[in-house]
Amino acid sequence: MATRNLEQDVDALTRTISELRSEIGALAGRAGGAAQDAGRWGARRVGHAAEAAAGEIQGQVAERPLTALGLAFAAGLAIGRFLVR
């Protein structure tokens, strides 16, 4: 009698664990999908911001080409100085 109850309890626990595994798998799948969606949204925002910044920089270079050249030269010197060390 006790063996039968123990077997039933083990079977019930096995079924419960199996159900929990499948539920956890489904939740993980949904969480992964949400993370992908958030990543795509963030990438689009960064892309739009980069395009806007590039347009702004191009406008500034067109308006002030000598200033842009001087800034690029100074930036090159600074980067070169840091890389030498």
Side-chain angles (χ1 to χ4, degrees):
M1 192 89 169
T3 306
R4 177 175 262 169
N5 287 337
L6 183 61
E7 287 176 1
Q8 290 173 345
D9 289 345
V10 169
D11 289 341
L13 281 173
T14 303
R15 281 192 304 274
T16 302
I17 289 171
S18 177
E19 290 171 2
L20 286 173
R21 279 186 182 161
S22 68
E23 287 180 24
I24 288 171
L27 287 173
R30 281 189 237 140
Q36 280 183 330
D37 291 343
R40 286 188 196 112
W41 178 78
R44 277 195 301 269
R45 286 198 60 192
V46 168
H48 292 308
E51 288 175 8
E56 180 67 27
I57 291 170
Q58 286 176 346
Q60 291 293 324
V61 169
E63 287 179 21
R64 298 181 188 91
L66 292 178
T67 303
L69 181 63
L71 287 173
F73 180 74
L77 284 176
I79 291 171
R81 182 89 168 152
F82 287 121
L83 292 178
V84 168
R85 292 184 180 193

